[in-house]
Amino acid sequence: MPVPRRLAESLYWQEQRLRGRGPVRERLAQLRSHQERTPAEIAELQFEKLRTTFLHAYRTVPYYRRVMDERGIRDLDSPEDLRKLPLLTRDVLIREQDQLVSDEADRKTLQTNYSSGSTGRRAEFKQDLDFRQWMRAHQLRTYEWCEGWQLGDPFVLLWGSEIYWSFKQLFDRAENLLTNRREFNTFHLSPELISAVLDQLVRYQPKLISTYSNAMHLIAKEAESRNIRIPGLRAVQGTSEPLPPALRATIGRVLDCEVYDKYGMRETNIIAHEQPGGGPMMIQAENVFVEFLDEQGEPCGDGQTGRMVVTTLNNRAMPLLRYETSDLAAPLPRAADATLPYPAMTSVAGRLQDLIVTPAGGHVDAYLFSYLFMRFPEVHWFQVLQRHPERLLVKVYAPGGLRKETARTLVERIHHHTGFAFAVEFETLDRMPESSTGKFRLCVSELGRPALEGSTHG
């Protein structure tokens, strides 16, 4: 039985203080107060943190000091000046590991974290206690943006990352029990696990679930097949993977709850989250500065999809300036009915590596394929793999089997919507594949990076 909410909240803050995380509460209060500021005030606060991070990097980080000296830049007069620095690519991050750590890093609290390696190369980076406290405060704030969830309300995290679980301690398990938080490892997404997790969710009755989008979609399909609901569930927060409209619609319809999108990565913590009540993604301006760049490296206009480049504002131990994420999204103008003062962006459409290339030179992202495949109830998960310009291998997890008529219709729709008669081969799976991070890429192209022009979106 859950602990009464107010008691669970009190126990949470006591436990945080005993574990040396007392400042999290103060930082969460700061983040809440920022929501009452104007967009101009948020922009000023963000630039102040950006400039402070820039000056700190020059003074204490050998790599940045060398690069800034080479380019003759010592300070920032405006956010645009940041573009005088080169991009920090995954290759540079791997090559310059030691030179990217600050001379003033609090080495007693440093932890080594790792990127997921979804681009083929796994990088490591350092994060100190100060970063982790800001990270926790931002996480709590985004939970609050999901249908009024409050600290102490029943909460479930469904997570599959081996890295995450390797950090778990006995204290964490005790904290979870006392604060109405439950965590389930979704590393092995077998039919048996999906069914067992659904049963536990029905018994526990969380108000909020934060999870990988594909994992929650599989759980929703299981719930639909058994005609059951999760009592008390008000919101699902999809994270770490793109949340295509088709998956989102299925989760919301079957579980009768609101669905929110969250975007972030281990290197940076949370970058953006959908505003309360639904709407555009709100960039976490206290945590990151985001650039959207076209193929020429120039800033994108509103609504123009480009590569996301991120500068962290809370990791003084190893600041990442102009870190190339390879993720694709577009900046948005401020809407007249915006409820928060933060800059807006679209949901992330995927990674450059996730774009299927057409022989004509265009590309197709996961949203289109999701729109096509998820219209068929028998398809619980899919992945499109491209190793040849004119051929596609489609891996399909369909517990009841993939009907020939469905396969034929899918091929016809792929041809129609992509404008090319790809040779399509289907590989049916009897269970979900394993992933060391818990994440699954819906589209994988091994043909290299395509241009962004002429894109097709579902």
Side-chain angles (χ1 to χ4, degrees), residues 319-359:
L320 303 179
L321 275 59
R322 306 202 76 209
Y323 183 62
E324 186 171 22
T325 69
S326 294
D327 288 331
L328 302 172
L332 292 175
R334 180 171 176 78
D337 59 350
T339 59
L340 293 171
Y342 300 102
M345 59 175 272
T346 64
S347 293
V348 174
R351 304 181 66 89
L352 284 171
Q353 292 83 1
D354 296 335
L355 303 177
I356 299 301
V357 184
T358 67

Side-chain angles (χ1 to χ4, degrees), residues 32-328:
R32 288 169 173 164
S33 70
H34 292 167
Q35 297 173 179
E36 305 301 322
R37 295 192 177 192
T38 66
E41 289 172 334
I42 290 297
E44 183 179 356
L45 180 152
Q46 183 187 46
F47 178 65
E48 181 180 341
K49 294 190 75 168
L50 177 64
R51 183 171 181 267
T52 298
T53 300
F54 184 94
L55 294 173
H56 169 77
Y58 177 76
R59 185 172 57 82
T60 72
V61 180
Y63 169 77
Y64 290 119
R65 184 161 53 247
R66 183 177 77 243
V67 169
M68 293 177 192
D69 281 341
E70 290 173 353
R71 302 205 168 204
I73 175 173
R74 303 286 187 275
D75 200 350
L76 297 181
D77 293 324
S78 70
E80 289 72 24
D81 288 341
L82 190 65
R83 292 179 53 218
K84 297 176 182 178
L85 291 180
L87 297 181
L88 179 64
T89 64
R90 183 69 59 90
D91 288 340
V92 173
L93 180 60
I94 293 171
R95 185 180 70 242
E96 302 283 352
Q97 286 283 312
D98 295 337
Q99 297 297 302
L100 281 164
V101 179
S102 169
D103 296 336
E104 296 181 357
D106 182 5
R107 297 186 179 275
K108 297 189 299 297
T109 68
L110 280 188
Q111 286 185 359
T112 300
N113 208 331
Y114 303 90
S115 67
S116 65
S118 60
T119 60
R121 303 198 66 187
R122 175 165 157 161
E124 67 177 57
F125 40 91
K126 310 294 184 183
Q127 295 165 339
D128 58 16
L129 177 61
D130 181 63
F131 174 86
R132 295 193 295 276
Q133 289 175 336
W134 275 113
M135 179 177 69
R136 186 168 288 253
H138 273 278
Q139 288 172 338
L140 290 172
R141 182 173 72 169
T142 63
Y143 296 157
E144 293 177 348
W145 287 9
C146 297
E147 295 303 292
W149 180 90
Q150 299 180 69
L151 185 59
D153 282 336
F155 170 84
V156 165
L157 177 70
L158 302 178
W159 214 238
S161 169
E162 292 177 303
I163 297 172
Y164 176 82
W165 290 104
S166 69
F167 283 135
K168 303 307 288 182
Q169 303 174 15
L170 180 61
F171 293 113
D172 297 304
R173 297 186 179 93
E175 174 189 302
N176 289 345
L177 289 174
L178 293 173
T179 60
N180 293 333
R181 178 185 173 102
R182 301 291 184 270
E183 297 180 342
F184 300 102
N185 191 338
T186 56
F187 170 52
H188 300 286
L189 280 175
S190 65
E192 297 78 16
L193 176 65
I194 293 166
S195 180
V197 169
L198 175 59
D199 289 339
Q200 294 184 70
L201 292 175
V202 170
R203 288 195 297 269
Y204 183 57
Q205 301 183 20
K207 288 189 177 180
L208 172 63
I209 300 173
S210 183
T211 179
Y212 295 119
S213 306
N214 282 290
M216 201 66 225
H217 181 260
L218 292 172
I219 292 170
K221 296 292 287 185
E222 175 71 11
E224 185 175 36
S225 69
R226 292 164 55 182
N227 193 29
I228 60 177
R229 293 280 192 272
I230 300 174
L233 182 63
R234 293 164 61 178
V236 166
Q237 181 191 66
T239 183
S240 292
E241 300 175 307
L243 182 62
L247 269 70
R248 179 181 190 134
T250 298
I251 294 169
R253 174 181 57 80
V254 172
L255 300 180
D256 192 24
C257 68
E258 297 299 320
V259 181
Y260 287 86
D261 196 3
K262 180 173 77 171
Y263 166 60
M265 57 185 62
R266 292 195 188 98
E267 296 95 317
T268 63
N269 187 27
I270 301 170
I271 294 174
H273 192 282
E274 191 172 344
Q275 75 173 12
M281 299 287 282
M282 299 281 100
I283 296 173
Q284 305 292 288
E286 306 96 336
N287 183 55
V288 290
F289 178 79
V290 182
E291 302 171 70
F292 301 86
L293 304 180
D294 64 18
E295 281 298 295
Q296 287 70 47
E298 296 297 319
C300 292
D302 288 339
Q304 179 186 2
T305 298
R307 307 190 326 269
M308 295 185 66
V309 173
V310 177
T311 296
T312 58
L313 305 179
N314 289 318
N315 188 2
R316 294 176 66 82
M318 191 176 183
L320 303 179
L321 275 59
R322 306 202 76 209
Y323 183 62
E324 186 171 22
T325 69
S326 294
D327 288 331
L328 302 172

Side-chain angles (χ1 to χ4, degrees), residues 411-430:
V411 172
E412 291 177 353
R413 292 185 179 182
I414 289 173
H415 292 172
H416 173 74
H417 287 283
T418 63
F420 182 78
F422 285 104
V424 181
E425 177 186 355
F426 289 94
E427 177 184 338
T428 57
L429 309 176
D430 58 5

Side-chain angles (χ1 to χ4, degrees), residues 244-247 365-375 382 442:
L247 269 70
D365 62 33
Y367 277 21
L368 172 62
F369 290 103
S370 176
Y371 171 78
L372 298 180
F373 280 74
M374 293 309 173
R375 295 170 67 88
F382 74 92
L442 295 183

Side-chain angles (χ1 to χ4, degrees), residues 13-26:
W13 291 126
Q14 291 181 48
E15 197 267 350
Q16 292 296 295
R17 180 176 54 81
L18 291 173
R19 297 182 68 176
R21 301 172 179 170
V24 173
R25 188 172 192 174
E26 177 185 341

